[in-house]
Amino acid sequence: MAPPVIETCHVACCANRTPNVVSWSRGWTIAFGTCNSVALYDPQGKRVVSLLNGHTDRVNAVQWVHREDCAPETHLVSGGSDNRLIVWEAQNGKFIQSVECKGHTGPVCAVDAIYVDYPKILVASSASDSTVRLWLCSDAKDAECLHTLSFGSGFMMDVSLALLPGSRVPILSCGGDDSRVHLYVQSDKQLQKVMTLQGHEDWVRGVAWVSIGGELLLASCSQDCLIRVWRLCAKSGTDARTEDDHTIIKMKEDVFEVKERDASSVFAVSLETVLAGHENWVYGVHWQPPFYKGGKLQQPLSLLSASMDKTMILWAPEEGSGVWVEQVRVGEVGGNTLGFYGCQMSPDGSMILAHAFHGALHLWCQDQDKEGEWRPGVVISGHFNAVQDLSWDPEGDFILSVGSDQTTRLFTPWRKQDGKKATWHEISRPQIHGYDMQCLAMVGRFQFVSGADEKVLRVFQAPRNFVENFANISGMSREKLLTSSDCANLPEGASTPALGLSNKAVFQGDLVSKTKEDEKQFSSVSDQYQESYFHPLSLTEPPPEDHLLQNTLWPEVQKLYGHGFEMFCLASDSARTVVASACKASKAEHASVLLWSTSTWRQLQTLPCHTLTVTQMAFSPDARLLLVVSRDRTWSLWRRNLPTLDSPEPQFSLHAHTGKDTAVHSRIIWSCDWSSDSKYFVTSSRDKKVIVWGLCRLEDSGDPAPPHEIKPCSSILDVGDSATAVAFCPVLCSDNSYLLAVGLEYGRILLYRWSPGQDPAGGHDWGSCAETDTSQSHSLAVKRLVWRPRAGRAGRENNSRVGLKGEEDEQTDRENELEEESSWVQLASASADHSVKIFNINKLAL
């Protein structure tokens, strides 16, 4: 079989900020909703294996349909803000959309599902239209709504389904904002209310059934910080009719009767225990999954709970007394985050997972050596809102991205010591801001400029602690990296003051801890509260979320003032000497581009030309031309003047531009890029057109040459949808044609080859190479596409890892590896669907 042209190398994403959005399968796959997609994540391989795209709005609830024989699941149910439920089915190892349930008139917030007789699935869903619906999904690929329960003006926060002990009758529990748990039994396809369980004093946030030894246990958790466990068991005919014996003290039992066919059975519900241990709202409860041991189904009696107090607790009854007690408590201490929305446990109970208010996954693994000890595990992470811009570092070793979640994040491959395949992870969060981030530009290996929805640009430089940890994780030589980043006066790290927006540098001297004597004598109130929250880390693996939030910030070294409105785009030249910036504009006076010197951070020049917001800028690879595209549907090209004695600093002058009559694009130009030889540039627009322009020749003589007319060199490529991002691959194809990537508004990425020699008249100069398939594509607009600056796949090249082979063997191995790597190029994409994706593209397969 021919190798695929495009393979997904990494997806950086996080869970949506809603309670029931994560579910862990018996086959070890974690499914979670991320924006409008469902991600299938492998916690052992530490990568997203697949994305299920089908919803048109945020996914709020995800649930695997567990099988009674504990085999890996073949069905998954998801519910979203598009008021729909989708049942996904595994076919040939891939999950495809099998059944759609339409009927709710509000966003679906909770789902649960069980098999009534395989493969018929009974699905319960709760939505913010104040109803709970029961659906039957059969083979025939259709869903029948069996019953709708209406709760007037109330809402049900969670639903859970189970089969009554000793029968195949489904029982449904719903917990809602009336502080009660309602129980319903299905008879003749209808739901009959059998009981209401009272006791909670605030909204019930989660309910979960578990079947144990012929009885059912129901756990319910609430905003009153308590968890209640209820026991449901079958009563024999005589039990139900005996008079109450007042001499025995026991919990009050509520009894209900269920008629099935001709027989009727009686069930009793009593309160088993109340668990108090959390100090804030309890959002989720989850029972440890059952497993087969020696051919018998074992159900461990162990309950996990997650709370807004930032902790998860594992509860179980004590062996002797049977009293329920707290076994383990894990969680974050301090930090500026809110708590956990939900929790899940791995099939064997050796790992527990929580998802937090900011979408981050938190994993703890049981320590193999020390009994009862749990330690944080490595997971993936990503932005929890639209990603606006991204950039590779000049060497192509890591990616920086900025997003509307007000963060700047740094992703790099983690090269493990045991020689396993490298996986990508977030290893630093250089900037956590108070404004939505909009754009960034790298200036040097460990320095960048970023712009947010404010008028100021901020410049950041990596601290020593980051460089050392980056070396450990990426497997590079620490000495090399430190010499490249002028290590003599680097601060250790950075921290943000309590009410500030700027990251302040923390130096070695600031880290000296106070002695006991100093602590006794506070000279002022402010001395009682430490100014720096930074603790230097020595990492050999990617850090967990609490470290990312607090200990991986980069110090801010400069602020640049000059724009009158919110920042919109940035660019830096290949020599890293000039940065261009532009802000939102509705008038020509604000639409000017400002140029800054990276050595002095002074404003060098203002370039006026456009009348509306400049949407993107790009310096040519030889750093001699600056291309600017705008919302006014035109582009302008600026030429760098040769330095003179009067002005040693770079100055730019207008070289060419399109006007109203010469513009080919009829809508906003979203994006632009240069070919690697600086001869051609490409523009892409909302009018679905992609056009290559040229030829850009500059005379080397001192006197300015007459402006060479720059016109479209290619036929107009219609890509069928608004082209929001475009990028030229820096590596040419084998026949010297150019490879371009085009990102569309509906999330797809297309690859084209453009051959300048071909006759553009018939459109033969463009050749379509490949496009992302449904599971690889984004679910919303592609915001930015950036190719890795050199060939090869990051984290795969053999940089400075010393092997134990002979030198000659190693030489041949390295040559073979280099040859194989040179056939690959990498493309990074940022999207409004909260994700950053990295694709490996095989040039030989093109």
Side-chain angles (χ1 to χ4, degrees), residues 343-359:
C343 53
Q344 291 286 301
M345 201 186 277
S346 68
D348 64 353
S350 67
M351 296 182 183
I352 52 178
L353 177 87
H355 63 107
F357 181 76
H358 282 174

Side-chain angles (χ1 to χ4, degrees), residues 521-733:
Q521 312 163 336
F522 291 127
S523 56
S524 69
V525 177
S526 63
D527 287 354
Q528 298 175 41
Y529 303 100
Q530 69 195 89
E531 181 64 20
S532 158
Y533 297 104
F534 165 75
H535 299 288
L537 304 172
S538 176
L539 299 174
T540 51
E541 59 178 33
E545 179 75 4
D546 51 323
H547 282 318
L548 284 170
L549 282 168
Q550 191 169 300
N551 301 323
T552 64
L553 292 168
W554 289 16
E556 188 182 302
V557 290
Q558 198 71 40
K559 287 186 185 69
L560 310 179
Y561 298 93
H563 286 287
F565 285 94
E566 295 94 336
M567 297 311 311
F568 199 78
C569 61
L570 278 165
S572 63
D573 66 345
S574 55
R576 313 287 167 199
T577 54
V578 181
V579 170
S581 64
C583 69
K584 290 181 185 171
S586 53
K587 292 198 195 97
E589 57 183 300
H590 301 298
S592 306
V593 173
L594 299 189
L595 296 184
W596 311 84
S597 154
T598 59
S599 50
T600 60
W601 292 116
R602 286 190 331 143
Q603 190 180 316
L604 295 175
Q605 216 179 338
T606 305
L607 310 180
C609 179
H610 294 282
T611 55
L612 293 172
T613 307
V614 167
T615 48
Q616 208 174 317
M617 302 174 289
F619 283 93
S620 61
D622 62 11
R624 296 170 64 184
L625 291 164
L626 168 64
L627 171 65
V628 179
V629 297
S630 162
R631 194 157 72 93
D632 63 16
R633 308 171 189 183
T634 65
W635 55 258
S636 60
L637 194 59
W638 302 78
R639 179 181 75 233
R640 186 194 284 248
N641 303 334
L642 295 172
T644 60
L645 289 172
D646 305 337
S647 62
E649 299 210 298
Q651 292 286 318
F652 283 74
S653 54
L654 189 61
H655 181 62
H657 66 96
T658 51
K660 276 199 169 145
D661 44 347
T662 51
V664 182
H665 289 295
S666 57
R667 288 277 179 274
I668 176 173
I669 304 180
W670 276 124
S671 183
C672 63
D673 198 23
W674 284 93
S675 64
S676 53
D677 50 16
S678 303
K679 285 184 188 170
Y680 303 97
F681 62 86
V682 62
T683 56
S684 76
S685 158
R686 185 182 279 161
D687 62 10
K688 308 178 186 176
K689 293 175 190 163
V690 173
I691 304 170
V692 178
W693 307 74
L695 209 61
C696 307
R697 290 199 203 91
L698 285 181
E699 309 303 323
D700 281 329
S701 61
D703 42 285
H708 172 75
E709 195 190 354
I710 291 173
K711 51 184 191 294
C713 295
S714 69
S715 57
I716 292 176
L717 174 67
D718 186 335
V719 291
D721 188 42
S722 172
T724 49
V726 67
F728 260 113
C729 180
V731 186
L732 295 180
C733 296

Side-chain angles (χ1 to χ4, degrees), residues 15-18 337-342 354-362:
N16 286 333
R17 304 161 73 186
T18 59
T337 57
L338 286 161
F340 296 143
Y341 264 143
H355 63 107
F357 181 76
H358 282 174
L361 298 173
H362 298 253

Side-chain angles (χ1 to χ4, degrees), residues 10-16 30-41 47-52 358-361 379-385 387 401 405 409 411 424-426 429 545 778-779 829 831 833-838:
H10 178 63
V11 181
C13 58
C14 71
N16 286 333
I30 296 172
F32 62 87
T34 174
C35 196
N36 303 351
S37 314
V38 177
L40 300 183
Y41 173 69
R47 57 187 295 267
V48 171
V49 244
S50 173
L51 280 170
L52 312 180
H358 282 174
L361 298 173
V379 279
I380 59 158
S381 58
H383 291 274
F384 57 84
N385 209 331
V387 189
S401 62
D405 61 356
R409 298 174 189 241
F411 301 94
W424 283 77
H425 295 273
E426 182 184 352
R429 205 164 293 170
E545 179 75 4
H778 291 282
S779 58
S829 68
S831 164
D833 69 1
H834 311 182
S835 69
V836 171
K837 294 189 183 186
I838 300 162

Side-chain angles (χ1 to χ4, degrees), residues 440-559:
L440 99 157
M442 294 291 297
V443 280
R445 184 90 191 261
F446 294 123
Q447 198 174 33
F448 71 89
V449 187
S450 71
D453 279 345
E454 54 173 347
K455 303 173 189 181
V456 191
L457 287 166
R458 297 168 189 266
V459 186
F460 293 86
Q461 184 169 9
R464 177 197 295 269
N465 193 237
F466 166 77
V467 180
E468 290 170 352
N469 288 328
F470 173 64
N472 292 347
I473 290 168
S474 63
M476 293 181 202
S477 140
R478 181 188 295 197
E479 286 66 36
K480 245 191 217 162
L481 289 175
L482 282 168
T483 47
S484 74
S485 58
D486 175 31
C487 64
N489 46 16
L490 277 188
E492 272 304 302
S495 77
T496 311
L499 296 173
L501 277 176
S502 308
N503 297 353
K504 292 236 178 359
V506 176
F507 289 91
Q508 193 68 50
D510 304 336
L511 296 170
V512 181
S513 55
K514 291 185 173 151
T515 61
K516 285 275 186 286
E517 289 304 308
D518 295 350
E519 281 183 3
K520 283 178 190 163
Q521 312 163 336
F522 291 127
S523 56
S524 69
V525 177
S526 63
D527 287 354
Q528 298 175 41
Y529 303 100
Q530 69 195 89
E531 181 64 20
S532 158
Y533 297 104
F534 165 75
H535 299 288
L537 304 172
S538 176
L539 299 174
T540 51
E541 59 178 33
E545 179 75 4
D546 51 323
H547 282 318
L548 284 170
L549 282 168
Q550 191 169 300
N551 301 323
T552 64
L553 292 168
W554 289 16
E556 188 182 302
V557 290
Q558 198 71 40
K559 287 186 185 69

